[in-house]
Amino acid sequence: MTLLKSYIDGRWVLPVSGRARMDVINPATEETVAEIAICEADDVDLAVMAARRAFADFGLTTYAERKVLVQKLIAIFERRYDEMVKAITTEMGAPFDLSHSSQAACGPGHLDATLQAADALDWERKMGSSANLLLEPVGVCVLITPWNWPINQLAAKIGPALTAGCTIVLKPSEVSPLSAQLFAEFIDEAGFPAGVFNMVHGTGASVGNALTSHPEVDMVSFTGSTKAGIMVAKSAADTVKRVSQELGGKSPNIVFADSDLEAAVERGVRHCFNNSGQSCNAPTRMLVEASVYERVVEIAAKVAATVTLGDPMQPGPHLGPVVSKVQFDKIQHLIQVGIDEGARVVAGGVGKPAGFERGYYVKPTIFADVTNQMTIAREEVFGPVLCLIPFADTDEAIAIANDTPYGLAAYVQCADKDKARYVARRIRAGSVHLNGAGQDYCSPFGGFKQSGNGREWGEFGLHDFIEYKSVNGFYA
C-alpha cells in the first residue's frame, strides 16, 4: 500500500509534525488502496513560502519560457495517459470508458486550450499616447480542487496559473488524491523550478483555513460546494485576496413539446446519470411541457431501465459507484426525502441495486410529479437522481428554471430555434446548451448567483491569474 507524500519546494516530503494518516478507498470494492499523510498548518507555511521565494524569479519569466515547460507537461501527460486513466477509475469509480474519453482527456485538453489562448494575448502592448500595458502574474495562488472531475479541475487551474507565471500551492481532494499525485509527478518530470508547484495533502479541517487565510497568498481558486465556498471567501477576506469560485448547481433541462422527445429525453437522462450524477453542471431538473409530460415520464423510465451498473475497471457503457460511503448515505437520504415529500418514483429508489452489495453503487433514480419547492428540486443531490417537473408555458418554464439559488448551467430542447434562443437569453446561468450542444475547452465555464464567480477554461481562465499594470509615460 502506497503512502502518498506531499510535494514542497521540489521534494516529496512527509508532514513536519503531524502523524495522521487517511485511507484512500476504492469505491467499487471498498478496499484501501493507499494512504495520505495529512498535512497541517506548519506544512502549509512551508509550501506557501516556497512558492513565494520561487515567484521572485518565475514571475519574471517570459511567456515563451513558460510555454516550453507547459508543452513538456502536455507531452508527459500524453505519454503516461493510461496511468492517469487507472488512477481516476481507482480513486473515484469513474468507469473506464468515461475515465479514458472524458475524465483524463481534460488534462491535455485544458492545457492545450490555455496555450492557444495565451498565444493570442498581447502580454505587453502600447495603450494611448504613452502608456505601456503589462500582463503580469497575480502571484502565489492556492488551488483547492474537488474529487468529482479531479483532472478537469487540476488542469483548468494549474494550466493558466503556470502559463501566467504564478506559483502554486495545490490542495487536491483527500478523497481522490491518486490523480493529483500523478499530475505532480508529471510537473516534476517536466522540470519546473523548485517551489513553482507545491502540493499539500490534507483535509479542510487540517489545512483549509491555513491556506486561504495565509498572508503570503495572493489568490485562491476554489471548486467545491457552495457551503464550503462561503467559508473560503470569509477566510480570504481579511487579507483582501482575489477569490475565484466554481460551486454547486441544480441545472434545469427544459423540454418543449416540439422537440424530438425520444432523443431529447434519452440525452437528458443519460447526461444526468453520467459520472454517476456527480457533476456540478448535471441537468438534474427536467422541466417538461405539460402537453407531453406523461409521454416524457414514460420515455425517461424506459431509458432508465436500460442503464446498467458495472465494474469501473472494465470497458463498457455502464455506470460505476459514487465516490464514498458519505456520498452514498447522503444520496440515499435525499431519495427517501423525495419519497416522503410525495414525489413519484418511476425508476430506481432507495437501497443498493441487486447484485451490488459491495461498493457504493446507487440505483439510477427518476422522480415524477416533482414541484420546484421539494427538497430534491432545491438541493444538489450529486448522485444519479433526476426530477421531472411539468410547466404550462414558456414563461413558467423560465420562471421555474431561474427559481434556484444556483446558476451554473442550463439546457433547452426545442425545435423552434428562435424560441430556444429566446429562452437561453432569459435563463440566469453561466452556460446554456441548446439541443444537445456540448462545450469546447475554449468556452468560459462558471456560474451566476451561488454557483460562484469568475470563469475557467481558455482565455477566460487566464484572466483570473493575471494582473494588469499600466506604465504611464513609458513612451514619453
Side-chain angles (χ1 to χ4, degrees):
M1 185 171 60
T2 303
L3 176 62
L4 304 185
K5 298 180 179 180
S6 292
Y7 184 79
I8 297 176
D9 208 12
R11 296 181 298 116
W12 297 99
V13 298
L14 289 172
V16 294
S17 55
R19 295 291 181 266
R21 302 289 185 264
M22 181 175 177
D23 290 342
V24 181
I25 305 297
N26 181 330
T29 64
E30 301 183 42
E31 295 175 350
T32 299
V33 293
E35 283 185 327
I36 55 174
I38 298 295
C39 289
E40 296 180 352
D42 289 346
D43 308 292
V44 167
D45 192 58
L46 289 173
V48 170
M49 296 314 297
R52 174 57 64 195
R53 290 190 300 272
F55 182 68
D57 292 326
F58 192 69
L60 294 175
T61 56
T62 66
Y63 165 60
E65 292 171 309
R66 301 191 295 269
K67 180 179 178 179
V68 169
L69 289 168
V70 176
Q71 287 174 325
K72 288 181 180 178
L73 176 59
I74 294 172
I76 293 164
F77 196 120
E78 291 175 339
R79 173 167 53 81
R80 301 181 65 181
Y81 192 87
D82 289 346
E83 294 177 64
M84 185 60 76
V85 171
K86 184 177 180 181
I88 295 170
T89 297
T90 300
E91 69 188 357
M92 62 157 297
F96 176 87
D97 286 10
L98 179 68
S99 291
H100 192 276
S101 64
S102 297
Q103 288 268 10
C106 291
H110 278 305
L111 294 173
D112 184 65
T114 297
L115 291 184
Q116 290 185 44
D119 285 343
L121 282 181
D122 290 325
W123 292 87
E124 182 172 346
R125 71 177 189 268
K126 184 177 181 180
M127 293 192 71
S129 60
S130 66
N132 197 39
L133 178 67
L134 305 178
L135 275 58
E136 298 187 351
V138 71
V140 175
C141 300
V142 162
L143 313 179
I144 302 176
T145 58
W147 48 260
N148 62 319
W149 283 86
I151 287 302
N152 178 75
Q153 292 307 126
L154 284 179
K157 296 180 191 298
I158 292 173
L162 294 176
T163 300
C166 298
T167 55
I168 295 169
V169 180
L170 168 70
K171 193 206 90 65
S173 171
E174 65 275 22
V175 178
S176 59
L178 303 181
S179 55
Q181 196 82 3
L182 201 55
F183 200 99
E185 288 184 23
F186 299 171
I187 289 178
D188 183 72
E189 186 179 340
F192 283 86
V196 168
F197 171 86
N198 306 273
M199 178 180 68
V200 292
H201 287 301
T203 65
S206 71
V207 298
N209 187 67
L211 284 164
T212 55
S213 66
H214 200 291
E216 291 294 337
V217 170
D218 301 297
M219 177 195 173
V220 177
S221 180
F222 172 81
T223 299
S225 70
T226 298
K227 179 180 178 181
I230 292 168
M231 296 171 62
V232 167
K234 288 180 177 178
S235 174
D238 287 342
T239 45
V240 200
K241 292 175 173 55
R242 181 179 299 184
V243 177
S244 178
Q245 298 178 320
E246 194 266 283
L247 307 175
K250 197 67 183 175
S251 301
N253 182 10
I254 304 175
V255 179
F256 285 98
D258 69 343
S259 62
D260 181 341
L261 292 180
E262 293 280 349
V265 175
E266 178 168 3
R267 185 167 60 235
V269 170
R270 294 193 185 281
H271 191 173
C272 177
F273 291 166
N274 187 48
N275 203 37
S276 298
Q278 300 169 122
S279 299
C280 51
N281 62 342
T284 53
R285 293 184 297 147
M286 185 178 286
L287 316 184
V288 183
E289 195 160 3
S291 62
V292 295
Y293 181 74
E294 288 302 331
R295 174 64 179 142
V296 166
V297 171
E298 178 185 330
I299 297 170
K302 181 180 67 174
V303 173
T306 69
V307 175
T308 58
L309 304 171
D311 180 354
M313 287 295 180
Q314 297 302 315
H318 48 267
L319 301 183
V322 296
V323 74
S324 67
K325 186 177 187 305
V326 170
Q327 191 67 14
F328 176 86
D329 290 344
K330 173 194 172 186
I331 296 165
Q332 295 301 309
H333 168 72
L334 286 170
I335 291 173
Q336 186 60 56
V337 168
I339 295 169
D340 295 343
E341 291 185 355
R344 173 166 50 117
V345 178
V346 297
V350 295
K352 286 194 172 184
F356 291 91
E357 286 71 30
R358 191 165 183 81
Y360 307 122
Y361 290 89
V362 174
K363 296 177 184 177
T365 299
I366 298 179
F367 284 105
D369 305 341
V370 177
T371 71
N372 204 49
Q373 301 312 310
M374 289 182 178
T375 301
I376 52 174
R378 308 301 296 179
E379 293 190 16
E380 191 175 31
V381 178
F382 232 58
V385 178
L386 175 63
C387 300
L388 303 181
I389 304 172
F391 67 85
D393 54 32
T394 301
D395 288 342
E396 185 179 25
I398 295 168
I400 295 173
N402 287 332
D403 181 18
T404 172
Y406 300 111
L408 185 57
Y411 305 81
V412 181
Q413 321 301 326
C414 186
D416 184 338
K417 293 184 179 179
D418 288 337
K419 182 194 283 189
R421 295 185 188 111
Y422 173 90
V423 173
R425 291 292 298 270
R426 285 158 179 78
I427 292 177
R428 299 284 294 168
S431 60
V432 182
H433 304 260
L434 306 182
N435 295 320
Q439 185 154 345
D440 295 328
Y441 288 121
C442 62
S443 300
F445 188 86
F448 292 13
K449 300 187 283 186
Q450 291 186 31
S451 286
N453 49 57
R455 291 294 183 270
E456 294 184 323
W457 302 20
E459 68 173 285
F460 306 93
L462 271 169
H463 291 308
D464 275 341
F465 296 94
I466 289 173
E467 291 280 19
Y468 298 87
K469 176 189 287 183
S470 61
V471 182
N472 302 287
F474 191 87
Y475 297 102

